[in-house]
């Protein structure tokens, strides 16, 4: 039996989590969504996630800080950054700091799923959309 | 041919007459029909140019000078007459004296009587010739009478002496003595009369000399005073106009464009100049508006990156929600579908609001001066710059003193000023840094002051003196046009306020905008808002 991937999704826009949770769950992953970066970091400390999807620009804690936090915790974890067109410089910085990939807002659920599938592949897990 | 010409003239004349009558009728009917529009069609002020002023002054001076010259000529003529009278009196006197001398010679030596008679005849001729000049100065008839009597007495004594050989020598001697006595008496009276005439002539000459001197002196003094008066009037007029212009030019230099109003109700060259300056001001004002608008669009350009990013969030939410609605439509409950549809509507509204603020600000609008609360203007400005502030990762503390009086101004223009100041401050503030915006009463009475404080690297002295110059910028090419502070200063000056700057190297800079509070009684109500908040990242 294949391992169930644990995914954490962090975006300070609650709708993103609300809509993407069922979308990612269809890949057969365990999804936890957060709209509060502090709470997300706390959760990352408690649990090791396989994939972390985080928005780069958030009011209290930056996406790059989240990336650093995850990298410090577990190098194996793939971090996917959500970014806007105006933040290409930040995205480049994130890639340098070890982010797996980035996805620009606005995106379709399928776009993110494709990146997650790619990340899962590098983790040796093959994901398919269920249901 | 001639008939044709006469016919044409006749017709032309008739037409002109008709037009004249029509015009008169129209004038009188308009007067009757619109008695209340006198104010609107008030008579054009008459034209009294400085050129005319100078010409009139010159003409009046000339007239006075001519008067003075005429009076001098008259006095001179009188003087001449006086001198002539004197001369006649002199010769009268000397003639009489000579005649008397000859008379004495005759009585002593028996010769000279002929001379004396001739002198007397000459004197008589003199008096007759100068009758006109002497009239009024001597008793003419008695003088002529005296001369005639004297000559007659001389004749008598000559006749008596010729009769020397006759009888009764005693009687002859007695008669001679009587004649001699009479001659002496008559001579004495003539001398007396000549003396009187002489002194009268001298008096007249003295009097005329005095009159001449007085007229001369008063004329010169009067002419000088009059010329001073004319120069004073002209100088006062020109200086008043120049002072007025210099006063207005100071106002203009401070950006307050006002129509030049002179106190007088006539037109002159300065009125033409003020009209030309008014035209210039309007053109300057228009150019400044164009500049301000282009600078505003530039600021909008700066804001767009923030706006674009901010817009990404609602668009992303809409995209995700719509896709999931499509994907899971059949699996979703009605409530979930409604929830998603509501989300779609809300997010679309959010996107619209983000753009609306910016479009409202960017729109080219007429200047509308109204009473405004500085607090609400600052909050609107912060809303506009909000995304930029978030992107820069800067914390903004805003403190607005409650119950500040309203200011009189154009909301969008004031917003533009504060936006420029805030964007400038953001540029020099590092991520995680602070900005302060304080609005409160100013030290100056009737003013409020808004301070935009940054803790950046400050402005060096050599740059500080140029920061309000148009097209002066320290930003890299493509980032700044160098118009922000220049346009802001123009806008604030037009509102009767001023922007001042206080800076300390590596400590930060404070821009203070002072704006006059409204003095229109109806708008004096204070702003009710009590704002003390901070925007934190």
């Amino acid at each position: 039996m294949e391992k169930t991937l644990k995914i954490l999704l962090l975006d300070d826009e609650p709708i993103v989590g609300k809509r993407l949770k069922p979308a990612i769950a269809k890949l057969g992953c365990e999804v936890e969504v957060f709209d509060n970066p502090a709470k997300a970091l706390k959760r990352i400390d408690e649990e090791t996630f396989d994939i972390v999807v985080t928005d780069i620009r958030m009011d209290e804690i930056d996406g790059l800080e989240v990336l650093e936090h995850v990298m410090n915790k577990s190098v194996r974890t793939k971090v996917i950054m959500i970014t806007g067109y105006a933040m290409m410089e930040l995205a480049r910085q994130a890639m340098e700091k070890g982010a797996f990939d980035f996805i620009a807002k606005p995106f379709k659920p399928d776009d993110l799923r494709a990146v997650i599938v790619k990340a899962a592949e590098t983790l040796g897990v093959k994901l398919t959309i269920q249901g | 041919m001639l008939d044709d010409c006469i016919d044409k003239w006749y017709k032309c004349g008739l037409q002109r007459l008709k037009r004249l009558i029509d015009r008169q009728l129209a004038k009188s009917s308009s007067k009757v029909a619109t008695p209340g529009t006198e104010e609107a069609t008030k008579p054009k002020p008459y034209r009294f140019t400085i050129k005319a002023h100078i010409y009139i002054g010159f003409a009046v001076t000339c007239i006075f000078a001519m008067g003075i010259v005429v009076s001098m000529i008259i006095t001179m003529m009188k003087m001449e007459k006086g001198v002539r009278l004197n001369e006649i009196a002199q010769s009268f006197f000397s003639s009489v004296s000579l005649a008397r001398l000859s008379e004495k010679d005759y009585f002593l030596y028996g010769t000279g009587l002929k001379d004396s008679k001739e002198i007397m005849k000459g004197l008589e001729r003199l008096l007759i010739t100068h009758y006109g000049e002497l009239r009024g100065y001597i008793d003419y008839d008695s003088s002529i009478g005296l001369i005639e009597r004297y000559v007659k007495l001389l004749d008598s004594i000559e006749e008596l002496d010729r009769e020397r050989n006759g009888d009764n020598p005693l009687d002859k001697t007695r008669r001679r003595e009587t004649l001699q006595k009479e001659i002496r008496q008559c001579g004495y009276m003539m001398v007396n009369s000549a003396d009187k005439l002489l002194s009268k002539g001298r008096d007249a000459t003295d009097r005329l000399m005095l009159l001449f001197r007085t007229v001369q002196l008063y004329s010169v003094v009067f002419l000088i005073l009059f010329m001073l008066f004319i120069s004073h009037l002209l100088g006062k007029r020109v200086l008043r106009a120049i002072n007025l212009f210099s006063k207005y030019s100071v106002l203009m230099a401070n950006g307050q464009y006002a129509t030049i109003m002179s106190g007088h109700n006539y037109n002159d060259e300065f009125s033409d100049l003020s009209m030309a300056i008014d035209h210039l001001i309007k053109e300057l004002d228009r150019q400044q508006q164009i500049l301000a608008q282009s600078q505003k669009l530039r600021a909008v350009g700066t804001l767009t990156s923030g706006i674009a990013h901010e817009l990404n969030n609602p668009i992303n939410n809409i995209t995700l929600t719509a896709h999931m609605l499509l994907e899971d439509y059949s699996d979703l409950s009605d409530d979930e579908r409604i929830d998603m549809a509501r989300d779609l509507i809300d997010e679309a509204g959010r996107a619209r609001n983000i753009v609306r603020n910016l479009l409202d600000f960017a729109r080219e609008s007429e200047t509308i001066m109204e009473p405004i609360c500085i607090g609400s203007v600052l909050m609107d400005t912060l809303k506009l710059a909000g995304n930029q502030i978030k992107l820069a990762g800067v914390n903004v503390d805003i403190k607005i003193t409650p119950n500040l009086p309203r200011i009189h101004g154009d909301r969008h223009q004031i917003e533009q000023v504060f936006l420029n100041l805030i964007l400038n401050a953001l540029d020099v503030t590092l991520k995680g840094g602070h900005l302060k915006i304080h609005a409160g009463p100013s030290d100056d009475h009737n003013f409020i002051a808004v301070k935009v404080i940054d803790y950046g690297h400050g402005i060096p002295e050599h740059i500080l003196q140029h920061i309000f110059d148009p097209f002066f910028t320290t930003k890299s090419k493509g980032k700044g046009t160098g118009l922000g502070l220049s346009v802001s200063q123009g806008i604030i000056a037009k509102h009767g306020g001023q922007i001042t700057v206080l800076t300390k190297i590596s400590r930060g800079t404070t821009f203070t905008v002072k704006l006059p509070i409204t003095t229109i009684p109806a708008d004096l109500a204070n702003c009710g808002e009590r704002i003390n908040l901070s925007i934190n990242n």
Side-chain angles (χ1 to χ4, degrees):
Chain A
M1 187 182 159
E2 277 194 14
K3 189 193 163 199
T4 309
L5 288 178
K6 282 184 181 159
I7 297 179
L8 181 139
L9 174 72
L10 167 63
D11 194 310
D12 59 355
E13 294 278 329
I15 292 180
V16 175
K18 196 160 82 176
R19 299 298 164 222
L20 285 179
K21 192 176 178 178
I24 298 169
K26 282 186 187 170
L27 291 170
C29 306
E30 259 180 50
V31 189
E32 287 184 36
V33 296
F34 290 89
D35 57 18
N36 184 328
K39 280 183 185 165
L41 286 184
K42 209 173 147 198
R43 183 69 189 130
I44 289 166
D45 286 340
E46 290 166 9
E47 182 75 67
T48 305
F49 290 92
D50 299 298
I51 295 170
V52 171
V53 183
T54 174
D55 191 5
I56 279 198
R57 226 210 58 70
M58 287 172 293
D59 279 346
E60 287 152 34
I61 296 168
D62 203 287
L64 288 173
E65 285 175 51
V66 177
L67 169 68
E68 278 170 21
H69 201 91
V70 173
M71 289 288 114
N72 288 341
K73 174 86 197 305
S74 143
V75 189
R76 208 187 134 268
T77 305
K78 302 292 166 204
V79 182
I80 298 163
M81 314 297 293
I82 302 172
T83 166
Y85 285 118
M87 318 288 282
M88 282 308 169
E89 176 59 28
L90 278 179
R92 197 184 55 77
Q93 278 180 32
M95 296 301 285
E96 278 173 9
K97 282 184 178 169
F100 173 74
D101 203 350
F102 65 87
I103 184 163
K105 275 184 186 179
F107 58 87
K108 292 177 224 161
D110 281 346
D111 297 339
L112 181 65
R113 280 196 288 231
V115 180
I116 290 175
V117 167
K118 216 164 71 180
E121 269 173 21
T122 58
L123 289 170
V125 180
K126 191 164 169 61
L127 296 176
T128 46
I129 296 176
Q130 299 163 0
Chain B
M1 181 77 177
L2 190 69
D3 284 350
D4 279 357
C5 276
I6 290 171
D7 194 41
K8 266 184 195 167
W9 281 349
Y10 179 68
K11 278 180 183 164
C12 187
L14 272 182
Q15 272 174 0
R16 282 192 178 200
L17 191 67
K18 191 171 174 288
R19 246 179 276 154
L20 190 75
I21 291 167
D22 285 348
R23 224 178 293 152
Q24 290 298 328
L25 279 174
K27 247 192 232 173
S28 60
S29 67
S30 72
K31 263 182 206 164
V32 174
T34 54
T37 55
E38 266 179 354
E39 199 72 53
T41 56
K42 79 178 166 191
K44 234 181 166 183
Y46 65 92
R47 197 168 167 79
F48 179 41
T49 59
I50 292 190
K51 200 166 113 185
H53 193 145
I54 292 171
Y55 281 164
I56 290 171
F58 182 72
V60 175
T61 313
C62 277
I63 290 167
F64 275 119
M66 291 279 280
I68 287 165
V69 167
V70 168
S71 72
M72 298 269 255
I73 287 171
I74 292 169
T75 333
M76 284 275 276
M77 277 163 72
K78 278 190 174 177
M79 281 269 293
E80 268 173 22
K81 240 168 108 181
V83 169
R84 191 105 188 92
L85 179 73
N86 233 2
E87 274 171 11
I88 296 165
Q90 279 285 356
S91 78
F92 188 7
F93 186 76
S94 60
S95 297
V96 171
S97 302
L98 267 174
R100 300 251 15 229
L101 214 64
S102 302
E103 170 210 314
K104 257 178 207 155
D105 281 352
Y106 179 72
F107 289 132
L108 288 175
Y109 313 112
T111 55
L113 193 68
K114 205 177 168 191
D115 290 346
S116 181
K117 272 203 289 194
E118 266 172 24
I119 288 166
M120 276 297 119
K121 273 177 191 157
L123 182 62
E124 195 179 9
R125 271 203 304 279
L126 182 84
L127 290 185
I128 289 164
T129 329
H130 296 96
Y131 168 77
E133 285 140 89
L134 291 168
R135 198 177 50 182
Y137 289 97
I138 51 169
D139 185 354
Y140 211 81
D141 293 334
S142 77
S143 296
I144 296 283
L146 266 177
I147 291 166
E148 277 173 1
R149 196 174 144 220
Y150 185 73
V151 172
K152 219 176 260 173
L153 285 169
L154 287 181
D155 282 344
S156 308
I157 204 156
E158 195 183 16
E159 207 172 306
L160 191 75
D161 286 345
R162 223 179 280 145
E163 291 167 11
R164 192 174 288 256
N165 297 329
D167 47 13
N168 202 356
L170 200 71
D171 180 48
K172 193 178 169 183
T173 312
R174 211 174 42 246
R175 266 172 58 204
R176 195 169 189 271
E177 273 171 8
T178 321
L179 269 174
Q180 211 170 334
K181 208 174 158 187
E182 268 181 48
I183 285 171
R184 238 183 248 130
Q185 203 178 0
C186 189
Y188 177 73
M189 277 165 79
M190 275 200 312
V191 169
N192 222 3
S193 154
D195 205 25
K196 257 190 210 161
L197 180 67
L198 198 62
S199 73
K200 263 187 189 168
R202 226 176 266 138
D203 277 357
T205 317
D206 283 352
R207 226 175 28 246
L208 282 168
M209 280 293 270
L210 187 70
L211 179 75
F212 185 70
R213 267 207 301 276
T214 317
V215 166
Q216 214 174 21
L217 189 74
Y218 279 110
S219 305
V220 170
V221 169
F222 176 76
L223 201 65
I224 288 171
L225 284 178
F226 182 74
M227 280 166 83
L228 278 177
F229 175 67
I230 294 265
S231 316
H232 172 72
L233 276 187
L234 188 70
K236 201 171 136 191
R237 186 176 164 187
V238 173
L239 281 180
R240 201 170 52 194
I242 288 172
N243 283 340
L244 191 76
F245 276 79
S246 67
K247 197 178 89 188
Y248 275 94
S249 62
V250 169
L251 282 179
M252 277 173 230
N254 290 332
Q256 282 173 287
Y257 299 148
T259 306
I260 298 175
M261 301 289 284
S262 62
H264 48 67
N265 54 355
Y266 52 80
N267 273 333
D268 60 6
E269 287 90 344
F270 284 112
S271 312
D272 299 346
L273 182 62
S274 81
M275 268 160 73
I277 290 176
D278 274 351
H279 181 70
L280 178 80
I281 286 169
K282 276 187 191 127
E283 193 55 30
L284 271 177
D285 205 21
R286 203 177 65 85
Q287 294 293 340
Q288 206 196 24
Q289 272 176 16
I290 293 171
L291 202 67
Q293 180 61 22
S294 70
Q295 196 277 330
K296 190 158 85 174
L297 292 180
R298 180 76 206 180
V300 167
T302 312
L303 292 178
T304 10
S305 58
I307 299 285
H309 186 265
E310 191 59 26
L311 269 179
N312 268 338
N313 284 324
I315 292 172
N316 192 48
N317 291 342
I318 291 168
T319 313
L320 292 178
T321 308
H323 274 278
M324 290 320 290
L325 183 62
L326 207 62
E327 198 175 302
D328 298 337
Y329 190 79
S330 49
D331 302 335
L332 293 170
S333 66
D334 280 353
D335 284 350
E336 281 172 320
R337 283 184 208 143
I338 289 169
D339 182 46
M340 285 172 119
R342 284 220 175 101
D343 276 354
L344 286 176
I345 293 168
D346 289 350
E347 291 302 304
R350 190 176 150 196
R352 191 190 57 202
N353 283 344
I354 291 168
V355 178
R356 186 189 274 168
N357 268 342
L358 185 73
L359 289 182
D360 202 29
F361 173 71
R363 198 183 59 228
E364 193 169 352
S365 54
E366 288 286 305
T367 307
I368 302 166
M369 301 296 266
E370 54 184 355
I372 44 178
C373 292
I374 201 70
S376 75
V377 173
L378 284 173
M379 293 320 287
D380 283 352
T381 315
L382 282 171
K383 241 186 249 170
L384 267 174
N387 303 306
Q388 219 58 30
I389 293 169
K390 275 186 191 171
L391 275 181
V394 172
N395 302 313
V396 179
D397 293 332
I398 175 160
K399 207 164 114 188
I400 297 167
T401 308
N403 297 325
L404 271 182
R406 288 162 196 260
I407 58 160
H408 192 68
D410 182 279
R411 173 175 280 273
H412 284 125
Q413 287 183 8
I414 304 274
E415 257 178 43
Q416 187 178 353
V417 171
F418 290 126
L419 183 70
N420 287 333
L421 294 180
I422 291 169
L423 289 181
N424 280 352
L426 281 181
D427 276 345
V428 296
T429 306
L430 297 173
K431 194 167 186 180
H434 282 267
L435 271 189
K436 273 186 189 165
I437 298 171
H438 286 186
S442 164
D443 303 336
D444 288 349
H445 193 53
N446 288 337
F447 278 81
I448 60 159
V450 180
K451 288 185 160 89
V452 178
I453 306 161
D454 70 59
Y455 300 95
H457 39 66
I459 307 168
E461 188 67 37
H462 68 281
I463 289 177
L464 192 64
Q465 52 190 325
H466 296 299
I467 56 167
F468 290 108
D469 294 352
F471 305 110
F472 178 82
T473 182
T474 54
K475 294 176 189 173
S476 57
K477 202 178 172 188
K479 271 197 141 184
T481 52
L483 285 175
L485 282 178
S486 157
V487 164
S488 300
Q489 197 186 37
I491 291 171
I492 294 300
K494 232 173 130 182
H495 283 76
Q498 56 172 344
I499 303 183
T500 49
V501 56
L502 198 75
T503 184
K504 263 190 184 165
I505 298 296
S506 60
R507 294 285 291 276
T509 307
T510 302
F511 278 91
T512 308
V513 178
K514 278 187 192 169
L515 283 164
I517 60 172
T518 181
T519 47
I520 301 167
D523 305 331
L524 282 180
N526 291 343
C527 303
E529 72 252 338
R530 181 187 289 267
I531 298 165
N532 193 349
L533 54 85
S534 56
I535 299 173
N536 293 312
N537 276 296

